[in-house]
Amino acid sequence: MAVVKVDKLARSVAEGPSLMTGSIPTKDWMDVPAVFKPGNYAYPTKPEKLRYLDSQQGLSFPNAREWNPEDEDWKLPENWKEIIIQGLADRLDRFRSLKIFMDCCVRCGACADKCHFFLGTGDPKNMPVLRAELLRSVYRQDFTLAGKILGKLAGGREMTAGVLKEWFMYAYQCTECRRCSVFCPYGIDTAEITMMLRELLHMVGIGINWAMEPASNSNRTGNHMGLTPQAFKGNVDFLCDDIENLTGVRVNPTFNRKGAEILFVTPSADVFAEPGIFTCMGYLLLFEAIGLDYTWSTYASEGGNFGLFTNNELMKKLNGKIYAEAKRLGVKWILGGECGHMWRVLHQYMDTMNGPTDFLDIPRSPITGTVFENARSTKMVHISEFTADLIKNNKIKLDKSRNAHIKATFHDSCNPARAMGLLDEPRYILDHVVDNWVEMPENTIREKTFCCGSGTALNTDEIMELRMRSGLPRANAVKHVHDKHGVNTLGCVCAIDRATLTSLMNYWVPEVQVAGLSELVGNALVIEGEQRQELTEGLRTLV
Ligand code: SF4
Ligand code: SF4
């Protein structure tokens, strides 16, 4: 879908009629229906993908069919309303957090202007408080005494097809980034409300293909692209050849090797797509430099977990495969690459879903002896923690001048930053691999970081304008440091970010490229016996 020219979109955000520009809606929000038109919704799941997932043990994805959000009739099951209300009742029973979030919002509005979707679209229903109200109003009507007696007067409303359509629209205009929750005095996590909305929608066959196809591929072959074990290994082998051409160092990673000390898992995007492949080359060089005893798995060949964007059961199943592989291969612990939501699943849900992982050791770096107590339950260490520890203990040699072409800033990816508190390690690494880097403004980094605008499976091209709008707050902060300090590189530790921020930068700040942190480490790494060429663009240099 073509996106309007950048100056037109910028003007539309700044001047178009919206709550952001002081234009007050004339109707109550309940009376404004969701209108679907090309560009404002992601395509529905292909029936064959849904059928496949529905056939898998422990999963339920009913009502596979062709349907179009622009049509009046969404071909719902006859008893769809009962299914939704019963689904909500079940979840209120199962998830104490949901019950609390439904009851305790005081509508203070502290979250209202913190969402990048609201800032980029000006649509009141993209205010986190109102997004949650889409579900809360139905909850009130059916699950509270006041709502049962007073209905709309108590803020309740009937579950109707219009409400369901609204849920679909706004559950997929939230990247579950949790920025709003940082500002909520009650800690209400609107991301978890969005997750519930998506779960409920799946119960009647409503979902988006960009989430379900990668999830289905990942369940079938181990990774989002559906790469076979041979293709996966072949791609890594290509990267090894590139490394040898550039540096004279031959790296020889192993695959599915039983008895290796460590299992390495990273998003498959690192293996097959730019700019992730440069990050992957960085990992390979680092592991070679320290002589790490590790193996890849061609079955747990995906760190990403699109189940998180779908439902609990699928998230659990996809996460479980990593641990099943760790057990099968007999490794001691797991090292994880630069992924965003993999770490959210790990740190917030993994232990109660698939734990305890007593068959693995508490991770201990074989190079420095550091014991990663923080990974005591998950047995999985983030590559930035691992690398920072190597640097701190002087176990690798780095030459910053090899990144002389880089003037960097750092984007805290939402999940590593807000879900696991990975704030200082990436900055410590940056301090040691580049001469020049600057922070973006204080209210756009660390816990308050702005989302890339296209996470949770919203990185699909048919909603490109929406993505450029929702990514605007992040792009604006990058533009600020580009204009003021000449920043030309946006570093991050997330594969989705590497892809989505690249599109975002191309649109709003085309002078800035996106790079994984491990790419910058790989650029700077000095390895014994290397015969490195003059690499003016680091690992991206064409030779
Ligand atoms: S900040 Fe929290 S309590 Fe206040 S309106 Fe938002 S969700 Fe409700
Ligand atoms: S989780 Fe992120 S995208 Fe969703 S409502 Fe909150 S700030 Fe907006």
Side-chain angles (χ1 to χ4, degrees):
M1 161 112 343
V3 185
V4 296
K5 290 234 159 38
V6 67
D7 55 336
K8 196 166 167 206
L9 188 58
R11 233 185 4 260
S12 153
V13 172
E15 296 166 11
S18 80
L19 258 194
M20 297 295 298
T21 56
S23 162
I24 308 297
T26 51
K27 284 187 186 163
D28 188 281
W29 67 268
M30 285 194 197
D31 300 328
V32 181
V35 178
F36 291 87
K37 49 189 183 197
N40 76 352
Y41 65 88
Y43 297 149
T45 313
K46 292 176 189 159
E48 65 272 21
K49 300 297 167 196
L50 212 56
R51 261 183 228 114
Y52 163 75
L53 284 169
D54 191 46
S55 72
Q56 298 300 295
Q57 199 177 7
L59 301 181
S60 171
F61 287 99
N63 201 21
R65 74 224 180 274
E66 296 282 356
W67 65 285
N68 183 344
E70 291 178 56
D71 290 347
E72 183 64 28
D73 179 7
W74 281 18
K75 302 180 187 166
L76 299 170
E78 212 165 294
N79 61 338
W80 71 266
K81 211 180 289 189
E82 286 80 16
I83 295 173
I84 293 279
I85 297 298
Q86 187 53 48
L88 179 54
D90 291 346
R91 279 156 187 77
L92 287 165
D93 257 4
R94 271 168 68 199
F95 304 118
R96 200 167 39 148
S97 55
L98 178 64
K99 179 87 176 70
I100 293 169
F101 296 159
M102 288 297 98
D103 284 330
C104 78
C105 172
V106 293
R107 297 178 176 150
C108 67
C111 62
D113 60 350
K114 306 304 185 296
C115 174
H116 50 287
F117 277 96
F118 177 57
L119 295 175
T121 64
D123 183 339
K125 288 184 189 168
N126 273 326
M127 294 190 295
V129 56
L130 196 38
R131 194 188 310 286
E133 202 65 18
L134 303 181
L135 179 61
R136 197 177 282 125
S137 51
V138 173
Y139 162 77
R140 270 201 210 98
Q141 180 84 15
D142 283 83
F143 296 90
T144 69
L145 189 59
K148 281 179 185 161
I149 297 170
L150 298 172
K152 197 171 177 184
L153 276 179
R157 65 174 173 168
E158 291 281 347
M159 186 70 216
T160 63
V163 170
L164 193 80
K165 291 178 178 183
E166 198 178 46
W167 282 9
F168 179 60
M169 172 80 89
Y170 294 100
Y172 289 95
Q173 290 192 19
C174 166
T175 42
E176 301 174 6
C177 76
R178 303 175 71 237
R179 186 172 194 266
C180 49
S181 71
V182 173
F183 297 88
C184 173
Y186 290 90
I188 293 174
D189 189 347
T190 307
E192 296 222 343
I193 296 172
T194 296
M195 287 162 72
M196 288 302 114
L197 284 171
R198 291 189 184 189
E199 279 211 24
L200 292 170
L201 289 165
H202 277 298
M203 294 183 77
V204 292
I206 299 174
I208 65 168
N209 199 60
W210 201 255
M212 299 304 269
E213 184 158 346
S216 147
N217 287 343
S218 197
N219 189 62
R220 194 167 47 82
T221 70
N223 56 71
H224 288 161
M225 289 297 289
L227 298 177
T228 60
Q230 297 86 335
F232 185 82
K233 178 180 180 304
N235 277 24
V236 177
D237 287 344
F238 280 131
L239 297 180
C240 296
D241 293 343
D242 286 348
I243 287 173
E244 189 169 18
N245 284 338
L246 291 164
T247 66
V249 175
R250 183 69 211 175
V251 296
N252 290 301
T254 59
F255 297 84
N256 306 325
R257 178 165 61 88
K258 289 191 174 174
E261 183 171 1
I262 294 164
L263 169 64
F264 178 62
V265 178
T266 200
S268 61
D270 287 353
V271 170
F272 66 83
E274 288 190 20
I277 54 171
F278 306 118
T279 304
C280 190
M281 289 159 76
Y283 306 142
L284 290 163
L285 274 168
L286 178 70
F287 301 157
E288 180 68 21
I290 58 174
L292 196 67
D293 176 14
Y294 78 106
T295 185
W296 296 74
S297 160
T298 56
Y299 303 101
S301 49
E302 180 62 68
N305 185 336
F306 274 33
L308 175 67
F309 316 142
T310 308
N311 74 18
N312 250 272
E313 285 66 34
L314 185 51
M315 165 166 59
K316 176 177 175 172
K317 198 170 173 71
L318 295 179
N319 174 261
K321 133 181 93 86
I322 295 176
Y323 286 89
E325 270 300 83
K327 196 170 199 173
R328 184 180 77 86
L329 297 173
V331 300
K332 290 184 177 164
W333 56 277
I334 307 167
L335 180 60
E338 294 185 11
C339 185
H341 65 281
M342 167 169 84
W343 291 100
R344 171 118 178 260
V345 174
L346 255 296
H347 276 258
Q348 294 197 309
Y349 308 113
M350 147 65 203
D351 203 32
T352 44
M353 279 190 319
N354 290 322
T357 49
D358 295 341
F359 58 92
L360 295 172
D361 292 355
I362 299 170
R364 177 182 173 280
S365 170
I367 314 301
T368 66
T370 298
V371 177
F372 293 93
E373 290 286 347
N374 57 319
R376 178 175 278 274
S377 92
T378 62
K379 313 292 195 301
M380 192 155 172
V381 173
H382 192 286
I383 187 73
S384 293
E385 296 170 312
F386 184 73
T387 307
D389 177 61
L390 291 170
I391 296 172
K392 184 158 182 269
N393 287 284
N394 287 319
K395 296 295 184 189
I396 50 176
K397 195 170 170 198
L398 297 163
D399 178 357
K400 288 184 185 183
S401 71
R402 293 178 172 186
N403 274 318
H405 58 293
I406 302 260
K407 177 84 193 246
T409 190
F410 183 67
H411 162 71
D412 292 275
S413 302
C414 299
N415 289 310
R418 276 192 282 268
M420 66 182 291
L422 192 85
L423 302 167
D424 295 322
E425 291 86 344
R427 289 173 167 81
Y428 182 77
I429 295 169
L430 266 178
D431 284 342
H432 288 83
V433 298
V434 295
D435 256 332
N436 272 318
W437 80 275
V438 294
E439 292 277 18
M440 287 181 274
E442 188 267 330
N443 63 338
T444 73
I445 58 169
R446 299 177 75 91
E447 291 93 343
K448 295 178 193 163
T449 185
F450 268 116
C451 178
C452 65
S454 309
T456 62
L458 298 187
N459 48 331
T460 178
D461 286 358
E462 65 265 24
I463 50 169
M464 193 56 92
E465 179 174 326
L466 181 65
R467 291 172 50 190
M468 296 303 103
R469 283 178 176 273
S470 60
L472 178 57
R474 169 41 77 222
N476 216 15
V478 178
K479 184 161 173 28
H480 173 75
V481 286
H482 166 70
D483 292 348
K484 193 164 176 192
H485 303 286
V487 160
N488 63 10
T489 301
L490 179 57
C492 62
V493 288
C494 169
I496 286 186
D497 279 345
R498 278 195 291 281
T500 60
L501 289 172
T502 297
S503 306
L504 194 72
M505 291 304 110
N506 286 344
Y507 187 77
W508 289 112
V509 204
E511 304 83 359
V512 173
Q513 64 172 3
V514 181
L517 200 51
S518 294
E519 175 187 342
L520 305 184
V521 173
N523 285 349
L525 206 54
V526 180
I527 300 185
E528 209 175 310
E530 67 182 11
Q531 288 176 320
R532 207 174 167 107
Q533 310 199 29
E534 186 63 28
L535 302 180
T536 51
E537 302 285 325
L539 295 172
R540 299 185 186 206
T541 309
L542 293 173
V543 294

